[in-house]
Amino acid sequence: MHFSTAVTALATVLTLVTQGSSYVIDVYDSDNCSGGSREVNVWDNTCATWMGGFKSYKPKVYGGPHQKAYFFVPGNCGDLTTSFGGHWADGGDGDFQAGRCMNFGSNRVVNAASSYRG
Ligand SMILES: *[C@@H]1O[C@H](CO)[C@@H](O)[C@H](O)[C@H]1NC(C)=O
């Protein structure tokens, strides 16, 4: 086995061990889950910004136990003082439910989504 292949294999194993699961949402350019959309996979204990701004989202897959979903505007990842949401992302929340459209309201464009332990 080439060294680089071994490193890649090891990195893959570490990723599987340290990041067991993620929540998956579709994010939308407009309110009410309309307009352009893309699927975003937010791993437990991480924050994602690559998808760019969005106004609404729809959960598809729940994250790991005791994970909460936070959304950030106008700040970015890590700034919980300007976050929205805080819903349990593990399925144990009445609002963060698969197939249910979630709006941020007030024409807000959210720019980051995280999954942190609640
Ligand atoms: C979203 O739905 C609400 C309630 O039906 C409606 O008042 C609002 O205009 C809709 N927003 C858009 C952008 O379609």
Side-chain angles (χ1 to χ4, degrees), residues 30-32 34 103:
S30 303
D31 287 340
N32 298 337
S34 61
N103 286 300

Side-chain angles (χ1 to χ4, degrees), residues 21-25 42-44 57 59-71 85-98 114-118:
S21 61
S22 60
Y23 68 75
V24 181
I25 56 177
V42 184
W43 292 101
D44 291 355
Y57 70 96
K60 296 174 89 173
V61 176
Y62 301 123
H66 300 289
Q67 290 287 310
K68 281 190 165 179
Y70 297 95
F71 300 91
H87 301 292
W88 292 110
D90 58 6
D93 188 290
D95 291 322
F96 194 98
Q97 288 290 310
S114 75
S115 181
Y116 294 144
R117 194 175 169 80

Side-chain angles (χ1 to χ4, degrees), residues 68-81:
K68 281 190 165 179
Y70 297 95
F71 300 91
F72 303 89
V73 59
N76 223 321
C77 289
D79 188 2
L80 287 178
T81 59

Side-chain angles (χ1 to χ4, degrees), residues 12-37:
T12 302
V13 168
L14 288 176
T15 299
L16 290 173
V17 168
T18 57
Q19 298 183 324
S21 61
S22 60
Y23 68 75
V24 181
I25 56 177
D26 279 336
V27 303
Y28 297 83
D29 292 335
S30 303
D31 287 340
N32 298 337
C33 296
S34 61
S37 69

